[in-house]
Amino acid sequence: MRKSIGLSVLVFILCVLLSFVGNVSFAVTGKINSADYTVYIKEDGIVDIIEIIDLSLEKDVEFFSKRFDNNLEIKNFEIKEYNKEGEVKLEYEKVDNINDLKVNSYCFEDNILKVKVDKNVRKYLSISYSLEDNINIYSDCVETNLVLQENDFDYSSYEITGKVQFEDESVNLNDIYVWGHSVNDTIIKRDDELNQIKFILDEKEENQKFDIKVVFPKEIVKTDDLELTNSDITLDDIIEKENDIIQSKELKKQFEILNFKLLNMIILVIILIVVITILFVIIRIKIKKDKNNINENKNEIEDDKKQEETTKIDENE
């Protein structure tokens, strides 16, 4: 009985260990099927952003949430809802300030945009807004940092794409630098024909943060209203820092891959030991059972012999 219980425990441990081999998946409350961002940098330093989001949420979720940086000054905020054919289904009045957004299906509280969703219904949203005072002016360049997706809500993300465009159509794309920051790699493509830079999030992961940094010549911003942020920072400094981030991310990725392989190897060794132990226990049980059967047969044969001898003695008497 005890051996049977021990064997059951070993089998249970084996099943648990097998469940850990491979990628670990986490439960999420929804899925961003696709997200496309258009970043439009204007000559007055204002950055216009349009987000096209295709999302599906689980049946017990009432709101899609998107967090904004609390330091941002968000203007000209507008939300539209489309059907799957791309036609406008609902269009809400544009507000000059996002904090004025108070409607039944949409609200903005504590820097979080909440969009009410119908249960088990796929949503197609267009979110557009303008960011003021979101650029840094340095000695020989201008920089804007844009957090396009935060990671504090449980959504899985797929097909994240976007493009950077400029109001100044004479801009030379070779003078523009774009970096993407996420858990994994961001592919940057330059389209000289349409005078834009495209970015694609390569390996998508659940619940991750994604932001981009755009650096461009000071001549693109044609306004005297903006003040110098830091005269000590140069384009070379930014490029060096971003290269360090890329190298650090690559080392981190290699380290994580190594750790993942090592963990899998350890688990597989443990599984092998458990399997061998299970086989050993099964074989021992089988051997003992066979030995008991042999002893029982031997005893039966001896009993039969004794019975025969007793019978013969009785007959002789």
Side-chain angles (χ1 to χ4, degrees), residues 230-244:
N230 191 327
S231 60
D232 296 329
I233 297 177
T234 65
L235 176 60
D236 291 337
D237 295 332
I238 297 173
I239 293 174
E240 183 180 356
K241 183 179 178 180
E242 288 298 323
N243 287 337
D244 289 342

Side-chain angles (χ1 to χ4, degrees), residues 20-78:
F20 280 97
V21 178
N23 292 323
V24 180
S25 61
F26 300 92
V28 294
T29 57
K31 180 172 70 173
I32 297 177
N33 303 301
S34 66
D36 185 74
Y37 302 90
T38 299
V39 177
Y40 188 71
I41 299 174
K42 301 167 74 172
E43 294 180 357
D44 57 6
I46 294 175
V47 180
D48 291 342
I49 296 178
I50 301 176
E51 305 182 8
I52 307 296
I53 301 174
D54 169 5
L55 62 100
S56 304
L57 302 185
E58 294 180 1
K59 60 183 179 180
D60 57 339
V61 180
E62 294 185 7
F63 291 94
F64 162 70
S65 301
K66 177 180 174 62
R67 181 181 294 279
F68 288 87
D69 189 334
N70 56 3
N71 295 319
L72 293 178
E73 190 173 353
I74 302 172
K75 302 289 186 179
N76 303 321
F77 193 87
E78 186 176 27

Side-chain angles (χ1 to χ4, degrees), residues 85-103:
E85 286 79 24
E87 301 167 342
V88 177
K89 181 179 176 183
L90 289 172
E91 184 172 357
Y92 291 86
E93 184 180 356
K94 182 185 290 187
V95 293
D96 292 333
N97 191 305
I98 193 172
N99 294 295
D100 298 331
L101 188 67
K102 298 287 182 183
V103 293

Side-chain angles (χ1 to χ4, degrees), residues 188-229:
I188 306 296
K189 297 182 178 179
R190 296 172 186 269
D191 189 342
D192 293 303
E193 186 176 343
L194 294 176
N195 199 38
Q196 63 185 12
I197 296 176
K198 297 179 181 178
F199 55 86
I200 304 168
L201 189 58
D202 187 17
E203 299 176 46
K204 296 86 186 172
E205 288 202 0
E206 296 171 356
N207 196 23
Q208 71 164 302
K209 181 179 180 179
F210 177 57
D211 65 90
I212 64 168
K213 176 183 287 187
V214 185
V215 179
F216 48 92
K218 294 173 71 173
E219 295 75 24
I220 292 178
V221 178
K222 299 178 174 61
T223 178
D224 297 327
D225 297 336
L226 301 174
E227 297 180 358
L228 188 67
T229 307

Side-chain angles (χ1 to χ4, degrees), residues 2 6 14 24 62 99 115 168 198 200-201 217 221-222 242 251 259 280 284 299 303 310:
R2 288 181 180 178
L14 179 62
V24 180
E62 294 185 7
N99 294 295
V115 182
D168 184 354
K198 297 179 181 178
I200 304 168
L201 189 58
V221 178
K222 299 178 174 61
E242 288 298 323
L251 287 173
N259 278 348
F280 177 74
R284 278 202 67 180
N299 291 334
D303 291 341
T310 303

Side-chain angles (χ1 to χ4, degrees), residues 6 58 66 76 94 121 132 162 172 191 197 208 224 229 240 255 265 272 277-278 286-287 295 297 309-310 312:
E58 294 180 1
K66 177 180 174 62
N76 303 321
K94 182 185 290 187
V121 174
E132 296 184 3
N172 184 352
D191 189 342
I197 296 176
Q208 71 164 302
D224 297 327
T229 307
E240 183 180 356
F255 182 73
M265 190 179 297
L272 184 61
T277 304
I278 291 172
K286 181 74 168 56
I287 290 173
N295 289 332
N297 292 334
E309 289 175 358
T310 303
K312 285 180 179 181

Side-chain angles (χ1 to χ4, degrees), residues 15-16 45 69 99 179 187 235-236 240 246 254 294:
C15 293
V16 171
D69 189 334
N99 294 295
W179 291 277
I187 298 173
L235 176 60
D236 291 337
E240 183 180 356
I246 292 170
Q254 291 176 4
I294 291 171

Side-chain angles (χ1 to χ4, degrees), residues 5-20:
I5 294 172
L7 186 60
S8 301
V9 171
L10 286 172
V11 172
F12 174 75
I13 292 171
L14 179 62
C15 293
V16 171
L17 289 170
L18 284 170
S19 69
F20 280 97

